[in-house]
Amino acid sequence: MAKAGSPPIPSGIVRYTAPILFGPLFNWALYGVLCVQTLCFVFLLETAQTALTGADVYYWFMAGFGDLKSIENYRFSRIDISTMGAIISLTVQAFFTYRIWTLNKRLLWFCVVVAVLSVAQTSGALWDGLKGKSEVIKPALYLWFIAGVLTDVLIAMAMVYLLRQRRSNENRCSSYVLPRIVRLTVETNTLTATVAIVTFVLYVVFPNEVYYATPAGVIGKL
């Protein structure tokens, strides 16, 4: 039942509430995967992000149930999705960029390009998270999603190149271990890039909807 004084609930409300709800749900599910494969600093950030998304869901769908004004309030989402997601992405991408450089010092120029794109992605996300208090900032989202896709694709391409380069020079044990590490890296970055592309496409194709909120809510966990 709607709260007194709030506008009536429209018939198409599910198109607005479902994407907002599914994002945190998938975010929580992927948190379990993250617990077994992450660095301590990233783990702490992800834990805080998971807690904040839980607070958002409680405010939107429990304490504010039936009140459309509560759904229109961004609450902590600007912090847990944009701001914290940007810091997590920058940390992980910096780690992979450093690993690429340690494996092949001649790729320093490539690592610089990846680092610039990663910083650009982070800047777009922080711009949206810290400045977009009451509305979506389109240039910030464009910078965030496009730079993020390019960063993840370049990292995946670099790891494939390094795998092909080193396969013939490693001993049998290393040749078994290295491909597994690189394959996991490629799969992770490919998945992240795919989700970022889906997020961007949903935002461009459906500018008046919030369908993009679902994939945007899980990028940080990938």
Side-chain angles (χ1 to χ4, degrees):
M1 179 180 295
K3 292 184 177 180
S6 64
I9 300 178
S11 58
I13 188 65
V14 66
R15 292 188 295 111
Y16 189 84
T17 57
I20 297 176
L21 177 61
F22 287 149
L25 290 178
F26 288 127
N27 185 289
W28 297 338
L30 291 171
Y31 178 72
V33 178
L34 179 79
C35 288
V36 299
Q37 59 176 20
T38 191
L39 301 174
C40 181
F41 174 70
V42 176
F43 175 76
L44 293 176
L45 286 177
E46 292 284 7
T47 300
Q49 185 194 53
T50 303
L52 289 175
T53 57
D56 286 336
V57 169
Y58 174 80
Y59 177 78
W60 291 328
F61 300 103
M62 298 177 190
F65 180 77
D67 185 0
L68 294 182
K69 293 181 180 180
S70 65
I71 299 179
E72 295 173 355
N73 187 336
Y74 286 111
R75 197 63 174 176
F76 298 120
S77 62
R78 292 296 193 186
I79 299 176
D80 54 52
I81 300 299
S82 300
T83 305
M84 299 189 69
I87 297 174
I88 293 169
S89 296
L90 179 63
T91 303
V92 174
Q93 290 167 350
F95 171 78
F96 282 122
T97 303
Y98 173 75
R99 294 305 301 164
I100 293 172
W101 178 73
T102 57
L103 291 173
N104 191 330
K105 297 295 193 298
R106 291 179 298 177
L107 291 179
L108 175 61
W109 64 271
F110 179 87
C111 294
V112 171
V113 172
V114 174
V116 170
L117 287 172
S118 181
V119 171
Q121 170 201 240
T122 304
S123 300
L126 291 176
W127 182 11
D128 176 71
L130 299 178
K131 296 297 184 180
K133 299 297 184 181
S134 59
E135 61 180 7
V136 173
I137 303 177
K138 291 185 178 181
L141 290 183
Y142 290 156
L143 181 61
W144 178 12
F145 296 145
I146 294 176
V149 169
L150 292 176
T151 303
D152 290 321
V153 169
L154 289 177
I155 290 175
M157 291 174 59
M159 297 305 291
V160 171
Y161 168 76
L162 292 173
L163 172 62
R164 294 173 62 89
Q165 183 184 57
R166 286 175 169 264
R167 179 171 291 174
S168 60
N169 300 326
E170 300 289 343
N171 56 43
R172 183 174 181 181
C173 180
S174 298
S175 297
Y176 173 74
V177 175
L178 183 61
R180 296 185 63 183
I181 297 175
V182 174
R183 184 171 63 251
L184 178 60
T185 304
V186 171
E187 290 174 351
T188 300
N189 284 278
T190 301
L191 178 59
T192 304
T194 301
V195 174
I197 292 173
V198 171
T199 304
F200 181 70
V201 170
L202 289 175
Y203 176 73
V204 172
V205 176
F206 304 101
N208 298 320
E209 305 289 350
V210 292
Y211 298 145
Y212 70 92
T214 296
V218 303
I219 290 179
K221 290 295 191 293
L222 301 176

